[in-house]
Amino acid sequence: MELNEKIIELGKKAEKEVQKEFEKIDELCEEHSLQVLNAFQKYHISDIHFNSTTGYGYSDVGRDTIEKVFAEVLHAEDALVRSQFISGTHALTVALFAFLRPNDIMLSISGKPYDTLDEVIGLVDNKSSLKSYGVKYEQIDMANNDFNYDEIRKRVEKQDIKLIEIQRSRGYSLRNSITLDKMEKVIKVIREVNKKVIIMVDNCYGEFVDKIEPTQIGADIIVGSLIKNLGGGIAPNGAYIAGKKELVELAAERLTAPGLGKEVGPTIGINKQILQGLFFAPSVVASSLKTAVFASKLLEDLGFKPNPKYNEKRTDIVQTIEFGDSEKLIAFCQGIQMGSPIDSDAIPEPWDMPGYTDKVIMAAGAFTQGSSIELSCDAPIRPPYIAFLQGGLTYQYGKLGVLKAVSNLEVRG
Ligand SMILES: *Cc1c(COP(=O)(O)O)cnc(C)c1O
């Protein structure tokens, strides 16, 4: 893999200047590693939990224990951790359909949710949307990267909202990701006037990035994908829903069938990978964070606009870089692909993807299809031409990928 000499030198300089951030990330990694280890020991994880079931998947002791370990690590009463979830979107969909009934109102307080939820909610027509079942949707936008606390208080005071959705990571929107101190503040505001409303957090990309999780500041239920943070690059697929026991049970009955719930679900050989993935997750999240910090500094030095800045507080593993130009954006994404271990000679192009409105370019040379805990970069092709960079199974591979992407920018002038 050819790298530009000048870029390597700039990389070395950037790396020196971010060492303080790296130290903080190492500390965080150690804390989460201890939590994971404690959870494994508390539930006496042993060879028996690597066993597999087929068919209905009755009495899968590995699966049931994995769910206890995840609940422990996520500070939740209970968790549903299943490979029958196809993706994060699927888990969010199962949760929403599990909790909402006809005429119920769902309120998003972090602006428009992630693009793939448009058809789930019914913002884009779909015959199977929540809207088609008579579930109503309302939204309160964020302003100046913060919640609109007054409007939220006024709206939830009326006691007719069934579920509030908060999306921690920014998705493809221009707002910042939501730090947990802001989330805590808004949950306090909500609870002052409304004790019943279900508070659900889309926790995708957020796990193990902060010292605590949204469940520790009053979120009732959190949802995330196993081909992101908690899968540690090892889980082959799946997602989780964790939080209040009664809500997790509702979600289970929706994922399988009423009356079956959590009792069924064959694991077909993946228990060990799920456990090993969680075991690696603190370190893989740390590598992703270091890759993001490094990219932020290097691209800022080169005159582009990164968000967050290298020394700003992070709440997810996503690093955005504003290129202001579609060709530079595409060259950077293609360079990330060139720096990947898998399919490095494929050249990604902007394409119409299911669930997305604009054309999207997706660079991912990953062991697991679509895995974005592995170094990956994607971008909707619309102004101001922002790349969303995330992942990195190890910092060294992450850094090399970023250096290759910047070299490709240089090659294209
Ligand atoms: C990744 C992600 C999702 C779910 O995406 P899938 O690709 O379906 O797993 C939902 N919300 C946010 C904020 C995400 O980053």
Side-chain angles (χ1 to χ4, degrees):
M1 184 170 83
E2 244 175 84
L3 293 171
N4 180 309
E5 282 303 322
K6 207 178 78 198
I7 303 292
I8 294 176
E9 283 313 305
L10 286 173
K12 278 187 186 152
K13 183 173 153 282
E15 195 174 46
K16 270 206 191 102
E17 288 170 43
V18 298
Q19 287 306 312
K20 247 208 184 125
E21 302 308 312
F22 281 15
E23 278 170 30
K24 286 187 230 163
I25 294 169
D26 286 335
E27 247 174 65
L28 188 77
C29 176
E30 203 169 306
E31 266 185 50
H32 289 304
S33 300
L34 179 60
Q35 272 179 18
V36 169
L37 201 53
N38 279 337
F40 273 55
Q41 295 181 358
K42 177 171 176 182
Y43 290 103
H44 309 286
I45 296 300
S46 172
D47 262 356
I48 192 176
H49 300 115
F50 304 156
N51 281 344
S52 176
T53 52
T54 54
Y56 297 128
Y58 288 135
S59 309
D60 192 315
V61 66
R63 179 196 66 211
D64 294 348
T65 311
I66 283 170
E67 291 183 333
K68 286 182 186 151
V69 168
F70 268 71
E72 180 80 14
V73 167
L74 292 170
H75 306 272
E77 290 174 12
D78 200 359
L80 185 64
V81 183
R82 299 296 168 109
S83 68
Q84 280 81 19
F85 286 125
I86 301 307
S87 62
T89 302
H90 184 209
L92 288 160
T93 301
V94 166
L96 291 170
F97 275 90
F99 308 146
L100 294 160
R101 298 287 179 272
N103 295 316
D104 281 348
I105 305 170
M106 162 187 179
L107 172 68
S108 167
I109 59 168
S110 42
K112 194 179 86 61
Y114 195 68
D115 294 42
T116 57
L117 293 181
D118 284 3
E119 288 183 55
V120 176
I121 295 167
L123 298 173
V124 169
D125 263 353
N126 186 299
K127 282 186 224 158
S128 301
S129 67
L130 285 164
K131 189 178 168 189
S132 79
Y133 286 87
V135 174
K136 297 177 193 125
Y137 172 78
E138 291 180 27
Q139 172 179 318
I140 297 176
D141 287 332
M142 301 188 74
N144 303 319
N145 282 314
D146 208 343
F147 291 105
N148 196 330
Y149 298 96
D150 288 338
E151 205 181 316
I152 292 167
R153 182 188 289 109
K154 266 192 242 146
R155 187 60 195 86
V156 296
E157 235 168 18
K158 292 186 194 152
Q159 314 297 332
D160 58 347
I161 306 286
K162 177 71 172 291
L163 177 144
I164 289 178
E165 204 222 28
I166 304 173
Q167 184 183 302
R168 179 172 176 182
S169 189
R170 59 192 283 178
Y172 287 133
S173 77
L174 300 183
R175 68 164 169 88
N176 289 354
S177 296
I178 298 166
T179 55
L180 293 190
D181 50 333
K182 280 183 190 147
M183 203 184 287
E184 183 171 20
K185 189 171 156 197
V186 83
I187 291 176
K188 275 207 180 111
V189 166
I190 294 165
R191 285 297 178 227
E192 269 166 25
V193 293
N194 188 321
K195 298 273 183 281
K196 292 196 320 272
V197 63
I198 299 167
I199 301 177
M200 170 171 142
V201 175
D202 174 350
N203 204 30
C204 282
Y205 284 140
E207 304 91 352
F208 289 171
V209 173
D210 209 326
K211 293 195 173 167
I212 56 169
E213 293 297 334
T215 36
Q216 290 168 276
I217 50 171
D220 296 312
I221 198 93
I222 60 177
V223 182
S225 163
L226 293 190
I227 60 170
K228 294 182 177 174
N229 302 20
L230 290 188
I234 307 278
N237 85 322
Y240 74 85
I241 297 176
K244 293 268 160 68
K245 192 166 181 57
E246 55 178 339
L247 295 174
V248 171
E249 256 154 36
L250 280 172
E253 302 247 307
R254 176 73 211 188
L255 173 66
T256 64
L260 301 183
K262 289 185 85 182
E263 305 284 315
V264 294
T267 49
I268 326 180
I270 65 156
N271 283 344
K272 184 177 165 191
Q273 282 164 289
I274 302 266
L275 283 164
Q276 209 163 15
L278 182 64
F279 184 74
F280 277 115
S283 162
V284 172
V285 168
S287 299
S288 301
L289 286 170
K290 286 182 182 175
T291 302
V293 165
F294 172 74
S296 180
K297 183 73 178 87
L298 179 60
L299 282 133
E300 182 180 299
D301 290 348
L302 289 165
F304 297 103
K305 273 196 245 164
N307 183 338
K309 291 222 161 72
Y310 76 95
N311 54 1
E312 269 174 338
K313 172 138 181 89
R314 285 167 194 266
T315 188
D316 62 13
I317 61 166
V318 180
Q319 177 65 49
T320 69
I321 305 127
E322 184 179 324
F323 287 97
D325 175 296
S326 70
E327 273 180 50
K328 286 180 188 148
L329 171 70
I330 291 168
F332 183 82
C333 291
Q334 290 178 342
I336 288 290
Q337 186 78 36
M338 293 172 187
S340 301
I342 315 293
D343 293 329
S344 61
D345 46 5
I347 300 174
E349 295 286 349
W351 211 255
D352 291 310
M353 306 271 300
Y356 298 90
T357 357
D358 292 285
K359 281 199 159 125
V360 181
I361 183 166
M362 291 198 167
F367 289 89
T368 296
Q369 189 189 96
S371 166
S372 47
I373 189 64
E374 300 181 50
L375 184 67
S376 51
C377 188
D378 35 72
I381 307 300
R382 62 186 178 218
Y385 302 104
I386 294 179
F388 295 76
L389 175 78
Q390 62 274 313
L393 292 183
T394 73
Y395 165 62
Q396 286 73 21
Y397 287 128
K399 177 172 93 174
L400 287 168
V402 171
L403 289 173
K404 181 65 192 171
V406 173
S407 295
N408 194 47
L409 263 177
E410 176 83 11
V411 169
R412 305 274 192 88

